[in-house]
Amino acid sequence: MTDPLISSLSIDPDVAVAIRRIGPCRLRGDDGQDPYDALLRAIAGQQLHGAAARRIFGRLCLLAPAASETGPPPAPEVLLAFPEDILRACGLSASKQIAMRGVAQARLEGLVPTRLEAETLGDEELIQRLVTLRGVGRWTVEMLLMFTLGRPDVMPVDDFGVREGWRRIKKMETAPKPKNLKNETLCFSPHRSALAWYCWRVAEEGKKAAPNTLTG
């Protein structure tokens, strides 16, 4: 039986070539995290390589009652009670501390939804709601949508890897501008998360660096 996702993406012959070369989509959506946890993890990892980001987030998680490097992180009220030096010892800069405290306060006030609440909100509704928080941009929320909530139709057009992958797939001289990439990929809805995954894979082809753990 033909995979409907692969059939949908293969309407474009260039994408079909990439799919045959790379194989089945292994996008790991729905990681089971709460949006609050996912946002803290994203803030901890900003401007850092994967290993360093995991170490810092792991230290933060060790401050929680569960005391596990893999999470969950401290609850909002617990995080807000920590003095600056405790969070600094985890490796968190002053700006990241402010951003995390903002997320914690927003969770207590209901702006950051629970997992169940997030399931009732649309993609764009969640994006517009969460980008009001300090340290949380559209890309961060798009990653939450894809990898925490398992949303199938997200196209992170500002992501360098996605744009580079699309450039290679389409054999373009330069990467497309975000607006152009959005327009060029609308026809792949409702499977644009998978298309983004293939763009990441194509962008990484030939590189010696370890695969990005976030993008699978």
Side-chain angles (χ1 to χ4, degrees), residues 6 12-13 17 38 81 92 113 126 136 151 165 182 191 198 208-209 212:
I6 297 300
D12 183 292
V17 170
L92 295 168
L126 273 168
V136 178
R151 299 291 174 90
K182 178 181 179 179
H191 301 296
Y198 278 107
K208 295 182 179 180
N212 187 319

Side-chain angles (χ1 to χ4, degrees), residues 66-150:
S68 169
E69 290 185 341
T70 58
E77 60 275 12
V78 176
L79 178 61
L80 288 168
F82 286 135
E84 182 180 341
D85 60 330
I86 294 293
L87 296 178
R88 189 189 309 117
C90 294
L92 295 168
S93 65
S95 62
K96 289 184 179 181
Q97 290 184 44
I98 293 172
M100 285 188 172
R101 291 185 191 278
V103 168
Q105 187 62 44
R107 176 67 200 96
L108 293 177
E109 295 172 355
L111 179 64
V112 174
T114 64
R115 176 67 186 238
L116 288 177
E117 290 169 341
E119 298 289 359
T120 69
L121 301 173
D123 294 354
E124 195 60 34
E125 186 177 2
L126 273 168
I127 289 171
Q128 295 305 317
R129 183 168 172 170
L130 296 178
V131 296
T132 61
L133 299 171
R134 176 168 176 162
V136 178
R138 185 181 183 90
W139 181 88
T140 297
V141 186
E142 288 171 337
M143 296 303 102
L144 183 155
L145 289 170
M146 292 178 69
F147 298 102
T148 295
L149 301 178

